[in-house]
Amino acid sequence: MTGNSEFAGCIALVTGAAAGIGASAARWLDAQGIGELVLVDIDRPALDRLGLSCKVHPFGGDVTDPSLWKLLEREVPRIDYAVLNAGIASNGEITDLDITAWRKTLSVNLDGMFLSLRTALRAMKRANRGAVVLTASVSGIKAAAGTAAYSASKAATIQLAKVAAAEAARYGVRVNAIAPGGVDTGIWDRAEWFAPLIEQHGGRAEALAAMAKDATPLGRFASADEVAAQIGFLLSDAAATITGTCLVSDGGVSL
C-alpha cells in the first residue's frame, strides 16, 4: 500500500487481536498502510506471531482490568482508529445459568468494551478526529434460546456504540458497531458440542458448511477476513457520514 492511503501514518488500536476477527482486522489495517498498531489480547505471545509489517505496540492483559487501560493511556497518547473486538462466547438457558458465568460474560464483553472505548474516545477527543468500530453480534439483535448472557452483552454493545456516537460527534469522531452472524474463527473449536459435529460430517470445514446451510438464508458463514474488510469500510473515509449505526453482516439470519 502506498503512502497515499488514508491510514498511512495513523495509529490504530485493536483489541482481541491475537486471533479471529481481531487478527484479521490488524492484518487488514497493516495492508492498508497503517503507521502503527496498538494490539491488546490476553494471549500476549500470539500477538508476536501475526507477522505484521508495521510498527506494533503489543499489550498483554485482561480488557476488564482498568490498570491495563491506565498503562495504555500513558504509553499511547494518540489513537486515530479503534477496532474494539475482545469478547468471549457463552451459552446456557436462563434457568440453568450460574451467576458467576453470567458475570464473566458481561464483564469481558461489556465492561471490557466500555474501558477500551473510553480509552479510545479520550485520545480521539484530544485530536478532534477518529473512527471506532465495536464488534457486536446478530445475537444482540435476534433472540435465540440458550444465549442469554452473550446476547444481552451484545445488545448492550450496540446501544453503547449509539450512545458513544451521540457523544463523540461534536468532536469529529464516528462510532459504529458491526453485528456478524456465523464467522469461521477458532471460537467454534472451543465449544464442546462442535467436536461431535466435525466427526459426524467428516471435517471441520464440512461441519461449518452444514451448520451454515441450516442456519443462514445465504447458506454460508463469513470468513474473518470478510468481516475485517467490512470493519475497514466503517473506519474509512468511504463511511464519512456513517455514525451510530450497526452493520448487520449475518448472511440473512435476522431476516
Side-chain angles (χ1 to χ4, degrees):
M1 183 62 61
T2 69
N4 294 326
S5 164
E6 65 194 89
F7 297 97
C10 294
I11 300 173
L13 166 68
V14 182
T15 69
I21 293 171
S24 288
R27 293 188 182 103
W28 188 92
L29 286 162
D30 187 39
Q32 303 308 307
I34 196 77
E36 300 178 27
L37 282 170
V38 180
L39 305 182
V40 177
D41 201 282
I42 199 165
D43 186 354
R44 168 63 181 81
L47 297 175
D48 295 329
R49 299 193 291 268
L50 291 177
L52 303 171
S53 60
C54 67
K55 185 175 181 180
V56 174
H57 303 277
F59 287 83
D62 187 336
V63 292
T64 69
D65 181 2
S67 65
L68 168 66
W69 297 106
K70 289 180 181 178
L71 172 65
L72 194 145
E73 287 183 29
R74 287 197 304 270
E75 297 194 3
V76 185
R78 175 183 159 199
I79 298 173
D80 302 299
Y81 301 97
V83 180
L84 307 182
N85 170 75
I88 59 173
S90 63
N91 54 60
E93 294 196 359
I94 293 170
T95 54
D96 301 323
L97 193 58
D98 181 78
I99 187 63
T100 302
W102 167 271
R103 286 174 174 164
K104 180 179 180 180
T105 301
L106 270 290
S107 178
V108 175
N109 293 359
L110 192 54
D111 295 350
M113 188 63 74
F114 160 72
L115 289 168
S116 55
L117 177 61
R118 186 178 66 178
T119 290
L121 291 180
R122 283 173 173 173
M124 292 175 183
K125 184 176 182 179
R126 290 192 294 270
N128 286 302
R129 69 175 302 276
V132 184
V133 178
L134 284 62
T135 301
S137 168
V138 70
S139 294
I141 297 169
K142 183 175 181 178
T147 67
Y150 183 75
S151 292
S153 72
K154 294 302 184 178
T157 294
I158 294 169
Q159 188 67 7
L160 180 63
K162 292 180 179 181
V163 172
E167 294 179 354
R170 66 182 183 272
Y171 44 89
V173 174
R174 297 184 299 105
V175 184
N176 292 289
I178 188 166
V183 183
D184 183 0
T185 70
I187 201 167
W188 299 105
D189 304 305
R190 293 189 287 274
E192 293 180 1
W193 49 264
F194 189 55
L197 282 182
I198 294 176
E199 184 175 353
Q200 177 186 345
H201 293 283
R204 184 182 184 280
E206 291 78 7
L208 284 175
M211 289 171 56
K213 184 177 180 180
D214 292 338
T216 67
L218 286 181
R220 64 183 292 266
F221 289 154
S223 70
D225 288 345
E226 288 173 323
V227 177
Q230 293 158 5
I231 290 171
F233 161 72
L234 290 173
L235 293 175
S236 75
D237 290 343
T241 60
I242 301 175
T243 195
T245 67
C246 180
L247 175 60
V248 180
S249 174
D250 66 352
V253 169
S254 57
L255 292 174

